[in-house]
Amino acid sequence: MSATSVQRPRPREVVGLLGGAGVLTLVDLGLKALAQTALPAGQVVDLGWISLRVFYNPGVAFSLGASLPAWMVIAGTGLVLAGLVWYLLANVRAMGTVARGGAVLLLGGALGNFVDRLGGAGVVDYLHTGWFPTFNAADVFVTVGVAGLVLGMLREPPSGMRDGDTS
């Protein structure tokens, strides 16, 4: 995105992005609460290629920074999240459908893990494969969201180019 393509987002674009992300955040936090309630400490439910077990990740992706004080991890992820929100809102008008969907997934997952992290125990992870670090729905949202955002930004024409909107 060039600096000249950044336009003020319309209210419906802001509501769509933040509202969709908010719904996904609630879904993620609900699944984490369900996992904590349904899976007492140490219990594993084997579902074949994936199992359910509760793990608390005090760090960020792949437990990086797990030895840092919680406030540092929270502050760092909060800054990254603020930058992400700013970037997505500044560029939402230029995004096509796939990129906007990716942005909603990315922001919803990032918010879910951030809110979960505020409790101080770390992010609740509950999906375990045995060959990959334990993860949660927010991690899936973030991963699929990044892929959608990047793919959409590379493959779709900006929305103003599709519908003639130059305002």
Side-chain angles (χ1 to χ4, degrees):
M1 308 248 129
S2 69
T4 58
S5 69
V6 175
Q7 300 173 3
R8 183 177 172 94
R10 296 180 183 130
R12 66 182 165 94
E13 294 165 334
V14 172
V15 169
L17 180 67
L18 298 180
V23 168
L24 292 175
T25 298
L26 293 175
V27 167
D28 172 63
L29 294 172
L31 289 171
K32 289 172 180 171
L34 180 63
Q36 288 177 298
T37 301
L39 297 169
Q43 182 180 353
V44 176
V45 176
D46 187 6
L47 302 174
W49 60 275
I50 197 162
S51 61
L52 304 175
R53 74 174 192 181
V54 173
F55 172 78
Y56 296 91
N57 178 2
V60 291
F62 309 109
S63 295
L64 294 172
S67 62
L68 294 172
W71 71 267
M72 287 183 81
V73 175
I74 291 169
T77 56
L79 288 172
V80 170
L81 184 57
L84 176 65
V85 170
W86 173 83
Y87 174 82
L88 294 176
L89 288 174
N91 292 286
V92 69
R93 290 208 57 198
M95 293 179 194
T97 305
V98 173
R100 284 187 191 188
V104 168
L105 284 164
L106 171 58
L107 187 55
L111 283 168
N113 277 342
F114 181 73
V115 170
D116 194 28
R117 184 171 278 119
L118 293 175
V123 172
V124 177
D125 289 328
Y126 52 87
L127 299 168
H128 183 72
T129 63
W131 53 269
F132 194 78
T134 306
F135 59 102
N136 59 44
D139 299 332
V140 175
F141 296 161
V142 166
T143 302
V144 174
V146 166
L149 182 62
V150 170
L151 181 66
M153 298 293 271
L154 292 175
R155 305 285 295 169
E156 293 180 322
S159 59
M161 300 290 283
R162 283 195 315 262
D163 60 14
D165 180 17
T166 58
S167 61

